[in-house]
Amino acid sequence: MTRVVITGASGLLGRALVKDFKENGFTVFGLAKSRVSPGLLALDLLDSDALRSKVRELRPDVIIHSAAYRQPDQVEGDAEGARRMNVHVPQVLAELAAELKAQLLYISTDYVFDGVSPPHMADDQPNPLNLYGQTKYEGEQATLKHCPGSLVLRVPILYGPVEYLAESAVTVLFGALLNPPAGGYTVSDLEVRYPAHVRDVAAMCRQLIEKQRQDRDGVFGIFQWSGQEPVTKYTLVQQMAALFGLPLDHVSACRTPPTSGTRRPMDSRLDTSGLRRLGIGQHVPLAQGLHESLLPWAEQQAGDASAGSC
Ligand SMILES: NC(=O)c1ccc[n+]([C@@H]2O[C@H](COP(=O)([O-])OP(=O)(O)OC[C@H]3O[C@@H](n4cnc5c(N)ncnc54)[C@H](OP(=O)(O)O)[C@@H]3O)[C@@H](O)[C@H]2O)c1
């Protein structure tokens, strides 16, 4: 059976990757740092010696590198740590993949682009606006340089089943809708995003690996995926309110560009033609994906409310 090492296996995308690869007959070794649930292996990727020795011991045919420091605001506050995690770790994994002749897929982001002229093609010159995007771009370059023939998949904002609502930049909006602060609040109606469900992304990662196994010389380099529905934070909140019959009158839309804080692309739409040419493309409709992902939280809130009533 094909042996696959998945980094970031405890994360939002990593959990979906582990599930999909297992369900499709791969032998999966999921690596995690702090959330080491049963079946995962504990490893701090920043310990390069331990990483090298663990990966050599596991002898993977495939490495999926999903782990990253991925919150732009946190990255700005820890530039050195972010470079180690988002640039140095991909380099070590790429060297290992080359040594072991393993297939390597590095997960990257739409934030490598500035969002000025969407859709962004896979071969457009990246121009990241923040350090997160910059380090992920440098991680791409390290991957492609140290493991020629490897794969990069750029993905947009992700959502899916979350362990806590703030785990995804999509689902976090539902928390404020369920428990609105007194006096209401404002959300941006400016930056356009194309959310993708982690189940779809995980399935496409596996399909890309399978395509490459059939044609190692023909399938390599940078691919991109995007959700189909353009949203802003405000239209997402509108959609969530409509799906669960929640009031929206305390939420206001903000259309003023931010003048401070971490810069983000305005419209980071990714062109997906590379994957589609390979016959790869999977998309759960956003309304359905949101309903599935948020329902447990809506039910929990309803349960808490009824437990509190007399
Ligand atoms: N989430 C998004 O909206 C989004 C959008 C575009 C691209 N991406 C990219 O997609 C990939 C997956 O993102 P995600 O949202 O699934 O991330 P996530 O939920 O934040 O998970 C991060 C993962 O990295 C692991 N990790 C962090 N530091 C580590 C270390 N020193 N050693 C070992 N493991 C470490 C974490 O392990 P523990 O939790 O066990 O500590 C966790 O499994 C990333 O490459 C990200 O850049 C994400």
Side-chain angles (χ1 to χ4, degrees), residues 87-110:
V87 186
H88 181 66
V89 171
Q91 176 176 333
V92 174
L93 281 169
E95 289 166 354
L96 282 163
E99 173 191 319
L100 300 170
K101 299 190 173 32
Q103 290 175 267
L104 173 62
L105 169 54
Y106 168 79
I107 306 293
S108 190
T109 169
D110 54 350

Side-chain angles (χ1 to χ4, degrees), residues 177-197:
L177 202 54
L178 287 175
N179 297 301
Y185 63 101
T186 302
V187 288
S188 169
D189 193 21
L190 210 56
E191 293 99 346
V192 182
R193 299 287 180 264
Y194 301 81
H197 197 293

Side-chain angles (χ1 to χ4, degrees), residues 8 10-13 33-35 44-45 66 70 132 136 158:
S10 52
L12 177 62
L13 176 59
K33 186 184 171 201
S34 53
R35 289 177 286 168
D44 183 351
L45 297 173
S66 182
R70 59 110 174 142
Y132 166 67
K136 290 294 291 184
L158 300 175

Side-chain angles (χ1 to χ4, degrees), residues 1 41 70 113 119 161 177 194 199 226 234 243 246 278 297:
M1 273 210 292
L41 303 170
R70 59 110 174 142
F113 292 116
L177 202 54
Y194 301 81
R199 191 169 63 222
S226 170
Y234 183 70
L243 279 171
L246 294 167
L278 294 176
W297 301 92

